[in-house]
Amino acid sequence: MFRRSALALALTLPAIALPALTASAASAASTQRAATYTNPVSSGFADTFADPTVIRGQDGYWYAYGTSDPLRSGEGTPHRVPVGRSSDLTTWTFAGDALGAANSRPPFAAADASYWAPDVRYLDGRYVMYYTVTDTTTAPGGSAIGVSTAPTPSGPWTAEPQPVIAPRPGGGGGYLWTFDPAEFTDSDGTRYLYYGSYYGGVYVTRLSADGLHAVGAATMVAIDNKYEGTYVVHRDGYYYLFASSANCCAGPTTGYSVSVGRATSPTGPFVDANGVALTASRVGGTPVVTQNGNRWVGTGHNGLVTDLSGQDYLVYHAIDRNSPYLDQPYGINRRPMLLDRLDWIDGWPTVRAGAGASDTPQPAPVTAGDETFATRPGWLPSSWQVTDGYATGTGVAYRDQRVEGDVRVEADLRPTAGAAAGVVVGSATAWLDRAAGLLVVDAGAGRRAAVALPAGLDYGTWHNVAVEVRHGQLTAALTEARQSGPIVSVTLTLPPNVTEGRLGIAGRGRADVDNVSAAKLYRPVTRTVAAPRTGHLVYADEFTGSAPGPGWSWVRRDNAVTVAGGQLNWPVENADLTGTANSAGVLLRDAPAGDYTVETKVTLDLGENTVRNYQQAGLVAYANDDDFVRLCQVAIWNTRQIEYGHEMPYAGQLSYGGVTLGTPATTTWLRLVHTTDPKTGEHRFRAASSADGRHWTWSGVWTFPADVTPRIGLVAHGGAQPAVTAQFDYVRIYQP
């Protein structure tokens, strides 16, 4: 068995990423951190690797699992939950199909069922995989959540005979979409499973202690027709529900993106940064990642992984808008796996401080310094031995090198009955104390802090304890395989120099230790990238007369439109602009040259909770009837959303998709910000919305080719029943 210990190498060789004590160590750490990678990280073994999740195995490797698809263009045959393996999170190789063997697939799965969106956890000493089964023999056409278990992250996987969540009949016919499972273990040891999608909504249910069976009634945590693909993280007293929205698979116009809400309970209610619930009809959600105008669109369905420095990364898929299908021009959407830094700013997660998906070289995660105890056990004293690739012993095993400053040290610990296992940083030790049932930080001289461990914690399996020292505070956190945030954590304020000294491992009574690592603690990003500025007002139509001002023109004039009372009043048309019908009116004017922002304030009373598909009103940037973007508040079934959609011609057909952003009010402010790509000349339009005209939610970017000259304007269409009138207060244009 290949066991790897970062500390074993880090304290034996100079070329590692450690808190520096010598010039060689400092240089090595700098070199490691200077390494870069470029998305997509799955390119070494897969053209597409959708709905990814990543776990670090007990063998020290990282494992990624994806939805069942062919991996390469031209391959044709889907893989049943393909698996990737990596030593550094950025270079991956194919490690087989998790559900390739017949007994790894559940007996209730239909012969032609597919397996989507796997979620893999390390629970009670075994690996547990939850996944969508798209069709079942017990309820043809009904999806379910299946589960398989394995002794290692590469298998072999054995399926449980019954689904965790069985097919659920839908009130509107057929079966609810029982998709996208995600497990979460709370600080009291209670296990939960999140699942669901657009048809039916997202729910959470308690699981049995072994994680294999649903227990009790489920609770809705995100409204139907808005969210799917959830993932939950516990951090700083909050539970964060990450979820994806919009169409996952519309080729070059895919607008899939990730938003988040947080709660003080794993069952919700989850609310966004504006306090709006993810279950509200006027649905909330704070953006985490969306497309930014580079090659990537459809940036969604995430997992989360933490590197050895403590830095979080979002793992997710996206679509290259220049090559959106696995086998061009249409077919399976090509969704490779991306990895980007996840920052926590003012209590909210955002990718690269709000910059979004990367397509240029990025600093690599800190993963260097791995080594097996078996190959370098010489630093262990006689009270410690190497058994089956991990260290077993009692007392303290030190290295001579010293560490200074902010540091992160972690290890997998497994104390025997009546014993404790620990991680040593200077004169401080973090103990997983089985005898006392505590996670303890002991810094000597009476400096001690402790937190109770869950009553049902299985000490006979590995648990990760990570120690972070930042600015004189030491925090120790216990997780299952480093997933979903700490189960419990404890913090102790220290006097100077307590954590300066040697690193080591410790045992009171016999303890098992594995996968030790040490690295400079990551430096958190504390500010988001600057939002676009509006600049100076260069044009305004305040609609104070009896008609739109000079410069406006119509595509399919709507004679019902009036200007009165300081508003342009537009009864929502029973028409549309998408597809080939092109029956809706569009009120347009020429855009200024260069960069600009166009803004409007629109009142549209769509009510709540009722179905009013798809009444909408808002801004448009328009090249022609088959190439436009529109930013509207819109009724989508029972929800009210703000959709930023794009229609464009692609390979002889029309492609349409949209990004969702913000929360609409009866009166909503909308902005489109135009810039030009300095390299390609493409027109970039970024969307924003506001419920008060002061606080803006910024979202995705759609583009037009350089040789197109889009005009800007207003639309109000999508259905005439029940009758409703959109009232536009103004159109204003700003330039830098």
Side-chain angles (χ1 to χ4, degrees), residues 64 72 80 95 260 272 390 398 414 468 616 692:
R72 294 293 192 188
R80 293 187 173 99
V260 71
D272 65 15
Y390 57 85
Y398 281 121
R414 188 172 63 182
E468 293 188 355
Q616 60 190 285
D692 60 10

Side-chain angles (χ1 to χ4, degrees), residues 206-257:
R206 287 186 59 183
L207 293 172
S208 56
D210 61 8
L212 303 181
H213 309 281
V215 177
T219 300
M220 178 181 276
V221 292
I223 196 170
D224 48 329
N225 300 303
K226 172 66 175 182
Y227 286 121
E228 64 175 15
T230 51
Y231 191 92
V232 173
V233 173
H234 190 207
R235 181 185 176 93
D236 296 335
Y238 288 102
Y239 301 86
Y240 290 85
L241 180 73
F242 293 77
S244 295
S245 59
N247 191 328
C248 72
C249 309
T253 57
T254 300
Y256 216 41
S257 55

Side-chain angles (χ1 to χ4, degrees), residues 539-594:
Y539 169 82
D541 192 338
E542 305 290 336
F543 302 125
T544 55
S546 59
W552 292 99
S553 62
W554 282 93
V555 176
R556 292 176 296 275
R557 181 183 183 92
D558 186 347
N559 292 321
V561 173
T562 62
V563 176
Q567 294 177 322
L568 184 145
N569 305 292
W570 193 336
V572 171
E573 298 179 67
N574 186 25
D576 204 351
L577 197 55
T578 59
T580 57
N582 297 325
S583 54
V586 188
L587 181 60
L588 294 171
R589 65 177 305 105
D590 291 341

